[in-house]
Every structure is written in structure tokens, then in C-alpha cells.
Amino acid sequence: MSYVGPDFDAPEPRRRRRGPLTVAVAVLVPAALLGWLVYEAVADTGGGSAGGAPTTRSAGAAPSVAAPGSPASPAGGADSGGQPDTSPTSRSGSGPLAGKVVVVDPGHNPGNVHHTAEINRKVDIGTNSKECDTTGTSTNSGYTEAQFTLDVARRLRTLLERQGATVKFTQDGDRPWGPCVDERARIGNEAHADAAISIHADGAAQGARGFHVILPASVHKGAADTRRIVGPSRDLGERVAGDFVRVTGSAPSNYVGDGTGLVVRSDLGGLNLSTVPKVFIECGNMRDTKDAAQLTSGSWRQKAAQGISEGIVSFLRG
């Protein structure tokens, strides 16, 4: 829908000149109101527990803001492009998604690099055993995938909560490492999520560009049984991919997916073990200089979160 601009009221008849008292009131009242709003925003910051299970906050809680250099922003205080919600909790409210639960899985964890023994242990993903987790990739300048995923996830949470959804994270930089891929899936299952998404960025070769959405294959082996979620997960993935293209202007991957932006895989524990509709999104290639310029831009990450959000909203509203 195109924006045609606001309608303007017809000019009102000329009024008599205001006295000094009227002018003073007109100046002081808005200033006082502004001061109250600032106080309210600062005084009520959303907090959360540091241990594990996601908690819930009221819809009116103001989001806290990450300090420069925190996992929510690129190293060195690069362009923030807005202030993502950094609190580890979720909230629900009124809106078109009231009553809906979305689980957001920020890929990897900033602390994984210090816990290689823990993340290298094998876990059962149904089809075989796989490492608990990895450290993820990074740009050539050192901006890590774990920083990127947390930032986009927090922006996404804010957008979904504005629609009334309850949002749960698998991790919010609030634990030393992990969780493992099997636990990431279990968090979504136990939340009975209406939709779940895992956010990533790829580490392919220079020249490999674009995003792709990973869909679960039909798997029925061991602890894995995706047969009931294959259809709805594809629907979710197609909607996310379509809105991601439209909002970010990014092209589908030129190295996987045959230009569709969609890839089906059976080797990811986070998908194999899910019992709720779930997809992964690789938002771009951190090792390509052109993609990296987007991934390290706060304004582009806001667009990425918006595109993902609109795809999820479309899926949940049917």
C-alpha cells in the first residue's frame, strides 16, 4: 500500500494574541510531560534472572539498552541502528498475536569460545550424534555470529511483543555457554510454541552471498520425528523468506538453494528434534565483504528483524 500523505485541516480563524501567562503555560506543560515520560522510561527497565528458564514481564515494561561493546552491538561500538531490547525475559500483551508463543533461538553463544570441551561433547539428534554446539563464525574484522544473532533476536523480540506475542529465548547471553542443540529444540517443544526460529549467519567463501532459510526434512528415526511439522514449517519458512527479501532487499543465496532461498536439511538437531513448526535462517555470509557490510550495520539488522517478524506474523495469522 502506498503512502499518500496526511490530510490537513482547513486553517482556523485568527485568534486574539496570547498573554504572557498563557505562553508560559504552553511552554511548561509539554516540558513537564516530556520529563515524566523520560522518568517512566528510565525507572522501569526490564530485568531478568541470570540462570536459565525464561521469565515473563508485563507488557508495559521498558526494554533495557545494551552498552557499547556488549553482545548486542558490534565490537568497537559500530552503528547500532536503533536500540534492541536486551532483557532476557519475554512479555505478552494485547494485539493480533495475543496468546501466541514464539521461541527465538539466537544461534551459538558468546561464551562458547571459552567452553570448547563442553560444546564439543556429542548429543543425540535422532539420525546420529553431533556436537552440542559450535562457536559460530565471524566477519574478517572479528564481529562474531553470536553477537549478530543476539542483536537480531532482541530486535525481533521487541517487534513480536508489540504484536502481542509471548516470546521466549533459548539463551540471551545469560548463561556461560550453550545450550546444546537438543536443549534448544526442547525449549521450543516444552513452550508449545506456535512458531520457532533459529537465527544464524553463514561462514562460506568470499563471493558466496545472500540469505537462505533452512527447513526440516521428513525424519523419523530415534528421538526425531518431524513428519507432523514438515508442512507448517515450510509454510513458515516460505513466508519468512518472502518478507525477508521484501524488507531487506537481500537476494536469496547464490551458493545453496538454487536461487529459491530455501534449503531442506536432515542433519540439524534443532530441527530434527523439534515438535513445533521451526526453521533456521542464515541471514547472510559473514565471510563475504559485501554481506559483512550489511550484517555489521545496525540499520540493516533492524530490517532483518523486521522481515523475519513480518514472516512470522503472517504465518501465525494464517
Side-chain angles (χ1 to χ4, degrees):
M1 180 183 298
S2 61
Y3 176 68
V4 297
D7 294 325
F8 293 96
D9 296 328
E12 296 183 1
R14 189 166 177 153
R15 296 173 180 163
R16 64 184 180 85
R17 188 174 179 179
R18 296 171 177 167
L21 179 60
T22 305
V23 173
V25 171
V27 171
L28 291 175
V29 170
L33 178 58
L34 177 59
W36 179 83
L37 290 173
V38 171
Y39 170 80
E40 285 294 299
V42 172
D44 189 17
T45 55
S49 60
T55 55
T56 304
R57 63 171 179 254
S58 66
S64 59
V65 179
S70 74
S73 60
D79 172 28
S80 65
Q83 297 173 337
D85 184 345
T86 62
S87 56
T89 56
S90 63
R91 63 179 171 226
S92 60
S94 59
L97 298 188
K100 299 293 186 180
V101 176
V102 179
V103 168
V104 177
D105 176 30
H108 313 290
N109 182 318
N112 280 0
V113 67
H114 304 297
H115 295 272
T116 54
E118 291 89 343
I119 66 172
N120 284 335
R121 72 177 179 84
K122 298 294 182 70
V123 297
D124 180 16
I125 66 167
T127 54
N128 61 294
S129 294
K130 200 167 183 178
E131 288 78 10
C132 157
D133 201 0
T134 69
T135 59
T137 188
S138 68
T139 65
N140 295 331
S141 62
Y143 179 47
T144 67
E145 181 183 0
Q147 288 176 290
F148 170 82
T149 63
L150 271 177
D151 184 84
V152 173
R154 289 163 175 169
R155 295 170 189 269
L156 175 60
R157 172 171 58 196
T158 299
L159 294 169
L160 290 172
E161 287 175 345
R162 288 174 183 168
Q163 298 288 322
T166 295
V167 181
K168 296 178 182 287
F169 274 25
T170 58
Q171 61 91 14
D172 197 9
D174 52 350
R175 51 189 294 166
W177 57 275
C180 296
V181 294
D182 56 343
E183 184 183 352
R184 290 172 186 265
R186 187 164 60 250
I187 290 170
N189 299 342
E190 292 178 351
H192 303 289
D194 297 285
I197 189 162
S198 188
I199 300 172
H200 290 266
D202 214 352
Q206 170 69 30
R209 295 200 61 197
F211 79 94
H212 61 279
V213 176
I214 305 174
L215 313 175
S218 182
V219 175
H220 184 211
K221 185 177 180 180
D225 187 355
T226 63
R227 291 174 295 177
R228 289 189 299 177
I229 68 164
V230 166
S233 295
R234 173 168 283 273
D235 184 20
L236 171 62
E238 289 176 348
R239 291 173 188 259
V240 168
D243 283 312
F244 196 84
V245 168
R246 180 178 56 80
V247 176
T248 66
S250 295
S253 169
N254 64 5
Y255 60 100
V256 292
D258 298 322
T260 65
L262 301 173
V263 178
V264 177
R265 289 176 60 174
S266 61
D267 63 325
L268 298 175
L271 294 180
N272 285 2
L273 301 175
S274 181
T275 59
V276 300
K278 184 175 182 178
V279 298
F280 280 41
I281 182 168
E282 299 278 2
C283 296
N285 176 19
M286 301 196 92
R287 292 296 185 176
D288 177 79
T289 53
K290 292 181 180 178
D291 270 11
Q294 294 181 329
L295 298 170
T296 55
S297 163
S299 58
W300 187 90
R301 292 195 302 273
Q302 186 65 31
K303 291 179 182 179
Q306 184 71 42
I308 296 169
S309 171
E310 292 188 13
I312 293 173
V313 170
S314 174
F315 170 75
L316 293 178
R317 299 190 71 180

